[in-house]
Amino acid sequence: MPTDLPPGPPADEPAGLPTLVLVGHGMVGQRFLEELAERGVTATHRVVVLCEEPRPAYDRVQLTSYFSGRTPDELSVTDPGFLARHRIELRVGDPAERVDRAARTVTARSGFTVAYDTLVLATGSAPFVPPVPGRDATGCFVYRTVEDVLAIEEYATRHATAGAVVGGGLLGLEAAGALQGLGLATRIVEFAPRLMPAQVDEGGGAALLRTLTGRGLTVHTGVGTQEVLRDGAGAVTGMRLSDGSEVATDMVVFSAGVRPRDQLARDCGLAVGERGGVTVDELCRTSDPAVYAIGECAQACDGRVYGLVAPGYEMARTAAEAIASGTGRAFTGADMSTKLKLLGVDVASFGDAHGAAEGCLDVVYSDSRSGTYKKLVVGAGGELLGGVLVGDAEAYGTLRALTGQVPPVPAEQLVLPAGAGEARALGPEALPGDAVVCTCHNVTKAAIQACASLPEVKKCTKAGTGCGSCVKLVGQLLPASGDAGLCGCFPHTRAELYEIVRVRRVTSFAELLDTHGRQEARGGEGCETCKPAVGSIIASLAPAIGADGYVLDGEQAALQDTNDHFLANLQKNGSYSVVPRVPGGEITPEKLIVIGEVARDFGLYTKITGGQRIDLFGARVEQLPLIWARLVAAGFESGHAYGKALRTVKSCVGWTWCRYGVQDSVRMAIDLELRYRGLRAPHKLKSAVSGCARECAEARSKDFGVIATSGGWNLYVGGNGGATPRHGDLLAQDLDDAGLVRLIDRFLMFYIRTADRLERTSTWLERIEGGVDHVREVVVDDSLGLCAELEALMAEHVTHYRDEWAATLDDPERLARFVSFVNAPGAPDPMVSFVPEREQIKPDLPLLTLGPRRTADLEGTPAS
Amino acid sequence: MTTSTVTKPSPAAPAPVTAGASVQLRLDGRWLTMCAASLLTPGRGVAVLLPDGRRQAALFLDRAGRLYAVDNRDPFSGAAVLSRGLLGSARGRVFVASPLLKQRFDLVTGQCLDDDEVRVGVYEVRLAA
Ligand code: SRM
Ligand SMILES: Cc1cc2nc3c(=O)[nH]c(=O)nc-3n(C[C@H](O)[C@H](O)[C@H](O)COP(=O)(O)OP(=O)(O)OC[C@H]3O[C@@H](n4cnc5c(N)ncnc54)[C@H](O)[C@@H]3O)c2cc1C
Ligand code: SF4
Ligand code: FES
């Protein structure tokens, strides 16, 4: 074994170390490298990786998420620091072409040749394209790599309105979802009599078929593809099917299964299985003990080739252990459980889904109206052997973990929907400690419960970081985060308080506190956390619940943070800044001159902000109305820089001027800014509109960002700059103007309704269950039947909007508040002073250098 | 010599804020009228300039109609802004949270609730007909 060689610190000159060569840097290859590093093998070996694709390993399982906005970089599973730290030599875009087992060398396409002591094959598999005439036509694709999805997207957007997928299995349905998402009329052609023949049984397939047809897909089952029809130029025009019919299509994606990539192994004389796959033993060794094979290219010792990532990961560990120590946990087969969300439908199968075991029985529940189908396979002794769930896979995590045991309640109760008859949902408490909860990473319930939070679980056990299907169950196994209340005064979350205020039409903070506060807080003052939060809720709902929308009226005045109270931003020396709204960042020279004059006349520091507008700093409280009187007269409005409200909608110059622009981004930005100005929210809201995909307005870093397409607008949500940047997720594509506005209306109102206090849309999307998919269901598909109400709430907001500064200037009573001292209304605050800097001013804070007064200093010191 | 000190002045007993009522502060052993009580909003403060033209006090009215007065200067920033903070209560103690960095000060004792070492001055205050 190479490990017999003396270990030691890695030498700069790798020649002295035994060499391990890995062919294939896919998901399993990368995992194998991590397993090696964990066992110290990277320190004792030179490790060389030959990677065929033009990029390091990425998350193939999540490939389809590219179409909902994940970039290839975001899909990466390779931490560049990892490779450097462990001195792994990765040769990207240089596939292995030849293995000489006698000389123990591998030669790559570039001619690079390396001698190995240990060789590991992780070449994965290749899509199978049935040998039909026309399979090479322009417009035919497969669905396996990032390059494939890039090519599909390019072709679909330029040349296609209809698409067809050959194959109705797991990948075929993913591909169909992608085509549908690209706006193509999509059909699926499946040779087997039902969809997903490998995973689900007849009943499950039927439920799936009904649901998918209901979503606008055309599905042909029990027919094969006989020929791809082409036009004179060789581009796809249609397909001829085995039943003699012809269907029109502009592109074809083949997804008819995969074949292990074992050519390299065959060529050098390694044993391969009858139906493909490099034959390996239970330690993943091939017929040559110096050569291992893992992942989808290997045929395991149980004779199966596993087309899922979890078994591949297990093989990666087995091989790494074997290489490190000569023995390892044997890989003798794996669970083929899967849970997927395909085209919005839950599909899960686990264990012995087809009921192959002798003497087993099926327990079936099927409801064709709701498209739900559930089947459990129960052994002769009552033990759960496996099952199929379509349409409702809630119980997947628990059921999968219970496989092999006798469930604590009768099986029929496990398949009945909640609320029907005696149905009893089986809680995760029922699981034994050694039940495997995350199959991707083989993590047990006990290991998860050793952690305190989901981030900790992901960090320490990796559970939930694979396919993600176990995350829900993991969450249920963790201790509840204790008290979810907003603060010491309320036991409710912000979203709950929103509902209480909305449904009970509570218009006063005191009333809310005295009726819904914690017992000990009732009758009290509230606190600095709940007052602004409730103030914001009442303000967002003002028209709908009959409260006054003006934020400084009555009790509302006492709830606002000081910035809202003075409609300006407090600065460190007690002065304020003034930010007039500049919708879309577009401003006339006249208005610019007014801003300049006001700043000059009041001696304000002037700065262009990061939000495409101008901030005037250094105003005293009593100057604010005077400044605003001038600004309002010139047609300016409050920019709400002080509020948890809409800030700016930035724009790029767009098609009016820019040679690349495809829509009028400035007009749209102005429209959106004017529509949502003044809207109070759990946190500030930012937006931007870009005129083309070059994205000069940085729309994807905004709470709602809009990017022009030749067909309309793409809407991204949940973007954020700031401390934890996040790119927004694509919510919908190619919307027309009205459709865009309608969707933003719904999205914003749904966020306002359900977010926590000070939770930007980005954190909200990350937190809520189901994430952006859930939001899409609610605001696009109207799954909760809420959309009409959300739109109505926004319409109320738009009708009732009034500029706060104009309203303030109109009312002497409100204006009376803008004084430094109530007993000396004309007197300026002597503590606010300035010194010059770069031809403008800055705060003079001599007192700051003294630091806070200590209690000791105060003893005996008169306070007045 | 000034008198109003850290020695606990008890908050004025709740009294209905009548139209003509005014707020008085005890300075140098004398009660000085500061402003009309109607200028105070429950839950919110105002600032008054003291006769020396330099120092400032922050006056507050709580929901129960009790009055409080503390030094207006936020000891953490040096800015005279405590009157612009939000009132709150926790375990029966009424406090103001600085609008700058949110440290809380007990309105009866002036003690900072987030830093044992820091305290602001307090004044005796009352409502006069
Ligand atoms: C003035 C300005 C900086 C500038 O000179 O350019 C600014 C100034 C402040 N920002 Fe900002 N931000 C400004 C653009 C931004 C941007 C850029 C943008 O909007 O394109 C960002 C990153 C984008 C984003 O928000 O996602 C930004 C991220 C923040 C954050 C971090 C938010 C986060 O989610 O992580 C805070 C803190 C917060 O809100 O909790 C913040 C908070 C603040 C506050 C309110 C801090 C405070 O409480 O005093 C600053 C006071 C403004 C004032 O007194 O007028 N500011 N801030 C910019 C005003 C833009 C405008 O016209 O309204
Ligand atoms: C769209 C899609 C969705 C999927 N969804 C799921 C799912 O939900 N759950 C699940 O468990 N599995 C899913 N899978 C399957 C999963 O992706 C595979 O099981 C997994 O990627 C196998 O890992 P691997 O490393 O063995 O192969 P791969 O990830 O295919 O990696 C093999 C790599 O080797 C490279 N290679 C091949 N030959 C050579 C050579 N001669 N020299 C150098 N490099 C070479 C290839 O280019 C490739 O990059 C999905 C697959 C796809 C395509
Ligand atoms: S995003 Fe496109 S249209 Fe807008 S300025 Fe940039 S390149 Fe021009
Ligand atoms: S089961 Fe796939 S991540 Fe846990």
Side-chain angles (χ1 to χ4, degrees):
Chain A
M1 283 297 291
T3 36
D4 292 340
L5 284 154
D12 282 326
E13 176 48 53
L17 294 174
T19 303
L20 185 151
V21 175
L22 170 68
V23 179
H25 192 228
M27 299 185 73
V28 173
Q30 170 61 20
R31 171 54 68 89
F32 170 73
L33 294 173
E34 288 165 20
E35 299 281 356
L36 279 185
E38 223 163 82
R39 292 172 176 75
V41 179
T42 46
T44 56
H45 286 64
R46 174 185 181 204
V47 178
V48 178
V49 185
L50 296 176
C51 167
E52 174 186 59
E53 292 188 59
R55 64 191 76 244
Y58 53 87
D59 193 345
R60 202 178 304 287
V61 171
Q62 300 291 337
L63 191 61
T64 306
S65 68
Y66 169 80
F67 293 105
S68 50
R70 269 234 240 164
T71 62
D73 281 349
E74 286 164 356
L75 283 172
S76 175
V77 293
T78 316
D79 166 12
F82 167 82
L83 296 175
R85 250 186 339 270
H86 296 286
R87 304 193 184 195
I88 295 169
E89 299 165 41
L90 176 69
R91 299 181 60 91
V92 173
D94 197 10
E97 284 200 326
R98 232 173 25 256
V99 173
D100 183 338
R101 287 199 293 123
R104 291 206 173 175
T105 60
V106 182
T107 304
R109 178 178 299 162
S110 65
F112 168 81
T113 301
V114 57
Y116 65 81
D117 297 277
T118 308
L119 175 65
V120 179
L121 303 176
T123 49
S125 50
F128 169 68
V129 178
V132 294
R135 55 188 279 199
D136 295 329
T138 313
C140 285
F141 298 89
V142 294
Y143 197 73
R144 175 93 194 162
T145 67
V146 166
E147 274 53 46
D148 292 336
V149 299
L150 293 176
I152 288 172
E153 181 186 47
E154 154 91 15
Y155 196 84
T157 38
R158 281 173 186 252
H159 307 289
T161 55
V165 174
V166 176
L170 184 162
L171 293 184
L173 294 191
E174 287 226 9
L179 292 187
Q180 209 182 27
L182 286 167
L184 306 193
T186 305
R187 68 177 73 240
I188 300 172
V189 180
E190 168 58 50
F191 188 64
R194 61 170 185 271
L195 292 171
M196 292 190 74
Q199 284 83 11
V200 307
D201 60 1
E202 227 179 285
L208 197 54
L209 175 66
R210 262 192 308 275
T211 313
L212 295 188
T213 317
R215 301 206 175 187
L217 280 157
T218 311
V219 181
H220 311 257
T221 51
V223 287
T225 305
Q226 245 168 10
E227 185 182 350
V228 176
L229 308 172
R230 292 137 284 173
D231 62 15
V236 175
T237 58
M239 295 196 299
R240 185 167 33 253
L241 306 181
S242 60
D243 59 4
S245 63
E246 283 185 11
V247 295
T249 185
D250 306 315
M251 61 192 294
V252 176
V253 178
F254 287 104
S255 205
V258 294
R259 296 288 180 268
R261 296 188 64 178
D262 54 14
Q263 198 58 41
L264 207 56
R266 285 175 194 267
D267 291 347
C268 66
L270 290 171
V272 294
E274 219 169 89
R275 291 165 55 220
V278 188
T279 320
V280 296
D281 66 9
E282 72 280 355
L283 292 183
C284 297
R285 284 176 306 215
T286 66
S287 50
D288 174 344
V291 184
Y292 291 73
I294 55 179
E296 275 195 327
C297 67
Q299 185 198 48
C301 64
D302 64 350
R304 298 174 72 168
V305 173
Y306 288 93
L308 293 173
V309 73
Y313 283 172
E314 277 183 57
M315 293 165 106
R317 186 178 62 188
T318 298
E321 271 175 10
I323 292 166
S325 62
T327 62
R329 210 169 319 193
F331 180 87
T332 51
D335 181 22
M336 291 288 274
S337 304
T338 34
K339 177 179 170 207
L340 305 148
K341 199 169 189 85
L342 295 165
L343 296 146
V345 188
D346 277 337
V347 180
S349 77
F350 60 97
D352 180 6
H354 295 282
E358 195 144 331
C360 66
L361 298 164
D362 289 352
V363 179
V364 178
Y365 168 83
S366 162
D367 174 0
S368 37
R369 280 165 313 165
S370 65
T372 312
Y373 174 87
K374 300 183 197 177
K375 180 183 84 173
L376 300 184
V377 180
V378 181
E383 71 280 14
L384 182 63
L385 295 177
V388 176
L389 308 168
V390 175
D392 170 13
E394 275 283 306
Y396 169 73
T398 320
L399 290 175
R400 181 182 64 180
L402 271 177
T403 309
Q405 312 188 12
V406 179
V409 298
E412 46 283 16
Q413 291 194 8
L414 294 174
V415 294
L416 282 174
E422 301 236 7
R424 198 169 330 151
L426 190 56
E429 324 78 63
L431 296 176
D434 60 356
V436 174
V437 170
C438 174
T439 44
C440 284
H441 298 283
N442 200 5
V443 184
T444 61
K445 172 178 170 181
I448 283 162
Q449 289 188 320
C451 304
S453 65
L454 186 60
E456 192 183 328
V457 169
K458 288 186 170 174
K459 196 159 154 249
C460 304
T461 69
K462 290 196 170 155
T465 60
C467 67
S469 69
C470 60
V471 170
K472 179 152 187 231
L473 181 56
V474 170
Q476 292 168 342
L477 290 172
L478 291 172
S481 63
D483 190 336
L486 181 66
C487 59
C489 310
F490 285 99
H492 308 282
T493 63
R494 181 193 172 277
E496 288 163 354
L497 288 175
Y498 181 100
E499 286 310 310
I500 293 168
V501 169
R502 188 179 65 84
V503 175
R504 312 238 153 146
R505 302 169 72 88
V506 183
T507 56
S508 129
F509 173 79
E511 182 190 337
L512 189 67
L513 181 65
D514 295 351
T515 52
H516 291 85
R518 295 181 198 268
Q519 217 42 260
E520 63 275 19
R522 296 191 181 180
E525 297 294 315
C527 73
E528 75 283 11
T529 299
C530 55
K531 283 164 106 175
V534 171
S536 153
I537 292 173
I538 294 177
S540 320
L541 283 168
I545 59 174
D548 193 317
Y550 179 77
V551 299
L552 296 187
D553 268 351
E555 185 208 37
Q556 269 282 67
L559 303 182
Q560 307 300 338
D561 267 324
T562 183
N563 285 354
D564 278 285
H565 194 66
F566 290 106
L567 305 173
N569 290 47
L570 181 63
Q571 304 298 315
K572 62 204 287 187
N573 67 344
S575 67
Y576 285 84
S577 75
V578 170
V579 189
R581 187 170 294 292
V582 179
E586 182 183 89
I587 187 164
T588 61
E590 279 68 32
K591 281 192 160 176
L592 269 180
I593 289 168
V594 171
I595 290 188
E597 286 172 348
V598 168
R600 183 193 57 207
D601 297 350
F602 288 87
L604 306 174
Y605 168 77
T606 313
K607 182 179 181 300
I608 309 284
T609 71
Q612 297 190 343
R613 48 191 187 173
I614 300 171
D615 204 341
L616 311 175
F617 295 84
R620 293 189 174 88
V621 181
E622 62 275 12
Q623 291 179 315
L624 290 173
L626 305 172
I627 292 170
W628 273 103
R630 299 256 306 256
L631 293 173
V632 169
F636 285 105
E637 292 186 341
S638 167
H640 294 100
Y642 44 81
K644 299 294 175 240
L646 179 80
R647 295 288 168 84
T648 63
V649 181
K650 302 211 285 186
S651 75
C652 76
V653 64
W655 84 342
T656 321
W657 293 91
C658 176
R659 63 192 162 135
Y660 293 117
V662 291
Q663 302 285 353
D664 188 350
S665 47
V666 178
R667 182 194 50 81
M668 181 52 79
I670 294 173
D671 287 355
L672 294 178
E673 183 152 350
L674 295 182
R675 182 170 182 81
Y676 303 118
R677 63 189 161 177
L679 180 67
R680 291 304 208 268
H683 205 314
K684 59 191 175 193
L685 286 168
K686 296 184 174 183
S687 176
V689 183
S690 282
C692 82
R694 283 172 190 74
E695 250 283 73
C696 297
E698 301 171 308
R700 283 194 67 198
S701 68
K702 299 300 174 197
D703 296 277
F704 57 104
V706 179
I707 301 179
T709 66
S710 49
W713 307 98
N714 283 356
L715 174 60
Y716 293 83
V717 295
N720 206 156
T724 316
R726 180 180 193 275
H727 262 155
D729 295 315
L730 183 63
L731 188 65
Q733 281 175 297
D734 290 329
L735 299 158
D736 59 16
D737 289 8
L740 174 69
V741 167
R742 189 164 56 238
L743 201 51
I744 299 175
D745 282 1
R746 296 172 178 179
F747 171 77
L748 289 178
M749 277 300 170
F750 185 54
Y751 159 68
I752 289 173
R753 180 173 206 146
T754 53
D756 271 341
R757 165 185 174 267
L758 295 188
E759 188 174 48
R760 289 286 290 270
T761 54
S762 57
T763 16
W764 170 73
L765 268 189
E766 296 278 338
R767 173 182 59 86
I768 57 169
E769 200 172 301
V772 71
D773 292 331
H774 173 61
V775 171
R776 189 178 295 112
E777 282 161 17
V778 175
V779 302
V780 180
D781 310 330
D782 201 8
S783 63
L784 301 180
L786 268 182
C787 287
E789 188 184 332
L790 298 175
E791 285 175 34
L793 279 171
M794 188 62 85
E796 290 272 16
H797 162 76
V798 174
T799 334
H800 289 84
Y801 166 81
R802 178 146 189 236
D803 175 36
E804 284 161 9
W805 265 109
T808 304
L809 293 172
D810 279 353
D811 182 340
E813 224 172 275
R814 290 165 178 172
L815 275 181
R817 182 171 297 143
F818 291 86
V819 294
S820 288
F821 304 107
V822 285
N823 63 342
D829 177 356
M831 306 280 272
V832 174
S833 58
F834 302 95
V835 290
E837 182 168 77
R838 291 190 297 277
E839 297 172 58
Q840 298 202 64
I841 55 160
K842 71 169 183 187
D844 183 22
L845 281 172
L847 285 167
L848 256 191
T849 55
L850 302 176
R853 271 203 255 178
R854 300 283 137 188
T855 308
D857 306 338
L858 269 175
E859 292 310 340
T861 314
S864 61
Chain B
M1 257 287 281
T2 44
T3 54
S4 137
T5 65
V6 217
T7 49
K8 34 236 126 267
S10 58
V17 179
T18 49
S22 57
V23 179
Q24 295 189 329
L25 214 64
R26 205 154 121 103
L27 284 173
D28 302 328
R30 288 187 302 130
W31 286 100
L32 283 182
T33 297
M34 285 291 134
C35 63
S38 58
L39 287 173
L40 290 171
T41 311
R44 193 98 241 177
V46 297
V48 290
L49 192 61
L50 300 187
D52 67 5
R54 223 175 54 75
R55 269 164 309 167
Q56 316 175 12
L59 309 182
F60 301 94
L61 184 67
D62 71 10
R63 266 181 80 189
R66 280 181 299 242
L67 280 169
Y68 307 86
V70 302
D71 200 22
N72 194 27
R73 181 178 168 277
D74 169 13
F76 290 92
S77 64
V81 294
L82 287 188
S83 61
R84 303 179 206 164
L86 281 176
L87 232 59
S89 62
R91 270 173 259 109
R93 297 171 82 178
V94 177
F95 62 81
V96 62
S98 166
L100 276 171
L101 298 174
K102 311 288 177 210
Q103 292 91 354
R104 298 164 304 153
F105 300 91
D106 183 308
L107 287 180
V108 174
T109 63
Q111 180 61 48
C112 177
L113 302 178
D114 302 297
D115 185 340
D116 285 347
E117 304 259 282
V118 181
R119 186 188 280 185
V120 293
V122 292
Y123 299 88
E124 281 184 77
V125 62
R126 72 176 184 194
L127 209 59

